[in-house]
Amino acid sequence: MDKSKHLESVIRTHQITKEQQLLDKHIQKKNEVKEALEEKYGSNIYPPFNSGSYAKNTAINTKFDFDLVSPFKRNAFGSNGTLEQMYNDVYDFLYDKYKNEAEVKKQKVSIGLEFYADNEGDVIKIDVVPGREFNLDQYKEDENLNLYVYYRYGNFNSGSERIKTNINAQINNIKDRATKEKDSIRKIIRLLKIWKANKGNYPTKSFFLELITIKTFDNNEITGSLWEKLKTVLEYIRDNVTNENFKLIDPGNSSNDLADTLTTYEKQQLSSDMKNMLERISENEENLKTYFPENEKFKEKESVKNGYGANSGIPIPPPKLNFG
Amino acid sequence: MKLKAEKIGLSLEIEDQLLNNMTENGKIYYPNEFGGFLFGYYTNNNKHLIITDSVLPIKFKSSRYNFERSTEGIEDQLYKFHRESPSKFYIGEWHTHPDSNAIASIADILAMRSIISTPNSCIKNPVLLIIGDSKSKVKFSFYVLYNYNLYKYE
């Protein structure tokens, strides 16, 4: 089995452009929500922007994450307004506006809008991330934001904590790299996100996987085939994530350590999952397909081209076969 | 009978008479399993399989839940079918599940996978027919191995 060939197919069948219609619906809905926020908050808000994987070019088509960052002015909720007030005000507005067409829920640092399935069965999900500039008019210069932590987020406690970050710096963290390295990094991030999506409700954030992939590239000589590069990243996670001194610095704020978004137990789980995955693939490389499956929906269409396969020569049955 | 594995765009056909023959051969060994080799050829740009013949093994071991055949004597058959027009070749396997359903077991899946990993097997998409034979009715399930997974024809 050519492991890299399989991984390329996994990426190809998960390309977001294969779901063009669903992508268009997300973009349209994101624009609607953006306009609604701008209309409601007027001069108190800077233009909201998309910061999710689509913006970073690491999206996969089985789990769209459209994060609409909404940067508010320092005094948008009064000169003594709190981040909690900002968060709740945005929640109340979105709830009132969309309660009949979507489930509106409070999430870790965002407000989730999950629109009910349309006539074609498509579900659109947009996460609105309210943030506030540090000082009045400072956002235009430094793009720094304070986010409100609604509920416990790894080692960040709910309510009492705020996260300072610069989301544009996060987006540019990949964009600013050399083209060849950037392509490899994006491929590996997509593969890790496919692995994570396949595991259901897994605690590790996609952003964590992005940063640890980049960190692996920063700390290792990463060469070889796609599989060899992925293997190096999996080994790096296995060997480092549980180390006491392990840090994952947010490119948007050097005092944010993304390693804190996972508890000690969750880090152990992540390391052990990488260990098991590597061992199972080493035992039988076909197991790679279990951890990194192709998207069946698009694999089917590609397969139709192929037909039954046969090599030259007269096929000979295996000497012994045992059926149950 | 014509069947399709829609997901992967492959189809097959087989005469009812051939299915009946295999079912009758299986009944001889009831309540144990029994089976054999399938022969046929591909048409329509290799998207369609026509199963034309079944060859019974000369040597085999079987129990109620197991069937193991050998290839003793099969070589002559391979060349005989190959010389026919259209040329036919080994395309898969069949066996019975006495008093049971016609669903592929783990052992069946592993057996199919071992076909493609055997040097000289030459076929990439072996077909599996399971005949689920209970007293009240007989059920046929056809599967094809594609990209290491079994797909059922409907």
Side-chain angles (χ1 to χ4, degrees):
Chain A
M1 176 188 163
D2 184 335
K3 294 198 278 300
S4 293
K5 192 175 166 192
H6 171 74
L7 293 172
E8 292 284 2
S9 174
V10 172
I11 292 169
R12 200 166 53 247
T13 56
H14 282 86
Q15 270 173 354
I16 195 165
T17 48
K18 287 199 184 290
E19 286 281 16
Q20 192 61 50
Q21 185 181 312
L22 190 56
L23 176 61
D24 290 345
K25 286 180 185 178
H26 271 82
I27 292 171
Q28 188 186 344
K29 190 60 84 178
K30 184 252 309 174
N31 288 338
E32 277 177 36
V33 176
K34 175 179 182 287
E35 284 165 22
L37 286 165
E38 287 181 313
E39 190 182 328
K40 158 78 174 164
Y41 292 104
S43 61
N44 282 323
I45 192 170
Y46 297 101
F49 62 95
N50 183 26
S51 77
S53 58
Y54 182 61
K56 294 174 188 166
N57 204 2
T58 57
I60 56 172
N61 60 19
T62 45
K63 193 174 181 301
F64 281 32
D65 44 345
F66 265 63
D67 296 340
L68 187 61
V69 178
S70 307
F72 285 95
K73 291 204 168 176
R74 180 66 182 83
N75 58 1
F77 303 93
S79 54
N80 293 320
T82 63
L83 289 172
E84 185 177 11
Q85 281 172 324
M86 168 193 74
Y87 184 90
N88 285 330
D89 199 275
V90 177
Y91 172 80
D92 291 343
F93 166 67
L94 293 173
Y95 181 80
D96 281 346
K97 185 158 181 67
Y98 294 111
K99 62 177 184 273
N100 294 325
E101 53 182 307
E103 190 184 337
V104 184
K105 55 189 176 184
K106 293 183 176 180
Q107 302 175 153
K108 287 175 182 171
V109 293
S110 65
I111 294 145
L113 297 172
E114 186 170 330
F115 291 88
Y116 303 132
D118 62 15
N119 294 337
E120 288 156 317
D122 288 333
V123 174
I124 313 295
K125 292 179 189 172
I126 311 276
D127 290 342
V128 175
V129 186
R132 192 182 67 184
E133 64 183 351
F134 290 7
N135 295 300
L136 193 61
D137 296 332
Q138 196 180 328
Y139 176 76
K140 282 181 279 188
E141 290 162 24
D142 64 11
E143 297 179 324
N144 286 330
L145 291 172
N146 273 320
L147 309 182
Y148 178 69
V149 182
Y150 173 65
Y151 68 81
R152 190 178 166 81
Y153 183 29
N155 293 331
F156 290 100
N157 289 326
S158 60
S160 60
E161 291 276 353
R162 56 181 61 187
I163 297 181
K164 291 176 186 171
T165 194
N166 183 318
I167 288 159
N168 278 314
Q170 292 175 357
I171 296 171
N172 292 332
N173 192 31
I174 300 179
K175 276 187 180 170
D176 290 345
R177 291 183 173 251
T179 306
K180 200 177 168 191
E181 188 182 57
K182 185 164 60 188
D183 288 347
S184 296
I185 289 173
R186 281 176 171 155
K187 279 183 179 177
I188 300 220
I189 291 171
R190 287 199 193 104
L191 288 168
L192 289 175
K193 286 166 80 169
I194 290 162
W195 165 77
K196 172 175 135 75
N198 205 32
K199 285 186 78 75
N201 194 17
Y202 201 71
T204 310
K205 296 282 288 178
S206 294
F207 187 38
F208 185 101
L209 296 173
E210 283 173 34
L211 289 185
I212 202 163
T213 301
I214 293 167
K215 186 160 185 173
T216 312
F217 274 74
D218 287 342
N219 287 281
N220 295 273
E221 185 75 19
I222 298 196
T223 54
S225 65
L226 180 57
W227 159 245
E228 285 162 341
K229 287 174 183 164
L230 174 66
K231 188 165 172 260
T232 306
V233 174
L234 300 180
E235 287 167 345
Y236 182 83
I237 299 173
R238 178 196 64 190
D239 297 339
N240 290 279
V241 75
T242 52
N243 289 351
E244 212 170 290
N245 300 326
F246 179 74
K247 287 185 185 302
L248 266 187
I249 301 304
D250 177 357
N253 179 354
S254 59
S255 60
N256 278 350
D257 181 5
L258 262 286
D260 283 342
T261 61
L262 288 183
T263 63
T264 305
Y265 173 77
E266 287 166 344
K267 285 175 197 167
Q268 280 163 354
Q269 186 189 356
L270 179 61
S271 171
S272 147
D273 283 344
M274 295 295 132
K275 180 174 175 284
N276 286 332
M277 188 182 345
L278 286 160
E279 285 172 0
R280 296 293 84 75
I281 295 168
S282 169
E283 281 167 14
N284 180 354
E285 55 187 24
E286 291 290 340
N287 286 332
L288 183 73
K289 293 179 178 175
T290 309
Y291 295 106
F292 300 97
E294 293 161 298
N295 184 346
E296 291 290 334
K297 187 174 173 185
F298 297 108
K299 187 175 133 191
E300 295 157 14
K301 287 177 186 168
E302 288 175 4
S303 301
V304 171
K305 293 179 206 158
N306 298 332
Y308 291 99
N311 296 324
S312 58
I314 300 176
I316 298 169
K320 268 189 183 178
L321 272 192
N322 195 351
F323 296 95
Chain B
M1 179 189 281
K2 283 188 179 180
L3 297 166
K4 269 190 168 182
E6 290 279 357
K7 278 189 165 182
I8 51 173
L10 300 180
S11 57
L12 65 75
E13 68 179 274
I14 184 169
E15 293 289 335
D16 289 347
Q17 183 60 48
L18 178 55
L19 281 173
N20 290 338
N21 287 346
M22 288 187 277
T23 308
E24 290 308 312
N25 282 321
K27 283 184 194 298
I28 295 169
Y29 298 93
Y30 179 89
N32 289 345
E33 293 194 0
F34 184 64
F37 306 93
L38 293 172
F39 282 75
Y41 61 93
Y42 304 135
T43 64
N44 187 24
N45 290 328
N46 283 7
K47 287 192 173 66
H48 187 66
L49 165 65
I50 298 175
I51 302 174
T52 57
D53 294 275
S54 155
V55 172
L56 304 183
I58 294 171
K59 278 193 174 175
F60 65 92
K61 289 185 219 166
S62 74
S63 69
R64 198 172 174 80
Y65 302 108
N66 187 263
F67 171 69
E68 184 184 303
R69 94 297 180 270
S70 83
T71 49
E72 194 174 314
I74 196 70
E75 204 167 320
D76 292 345
Q77 299 285 335
L78 296 175
Y79 290 106
K80 177 178 98 59
F81 281 113
H82 190 65
R83 283 194 298 271
E84 289 183 9
S85 182
S87 186
K88 295 158 193 166
F89 49 88
Y90 163 73
I91 54 89
E93 308 267 341
W94 71 273
H95 68 281
T96 58
H97 282 179
D99 293 326
S100 184
N101 55 36
I103 297 171
S105 65
I106 297 289
D108 296 340
I109 297 168
L110 295 176
M112 296 306 284
R113 287 177 177 172
S114 73
I115 294 176
I116 57 167
S117 54
T118 303
N120 302 328
S121 83
C122 293
I123 50 171
K124 291 179 180 169
N125 308 107
V127 165
L128 172 66
L129 162 62
I130 298 173
I131 303 175
D133 190 1
S134 69
K135 276 175 188 152
S136 56
K137 60 182 172 184
V138 177
K139 279 195 170 179
F140 303 101
S141 290
F142 283 91
Y143 297 90
V144 60
L145 192 74
Y146 201 100
N147 282 343
Y148 222 66
N149 293 314
L150 269 194
Y151 289 86
K152 192 169 187 277
Y153 294 87
E154 305 286 351

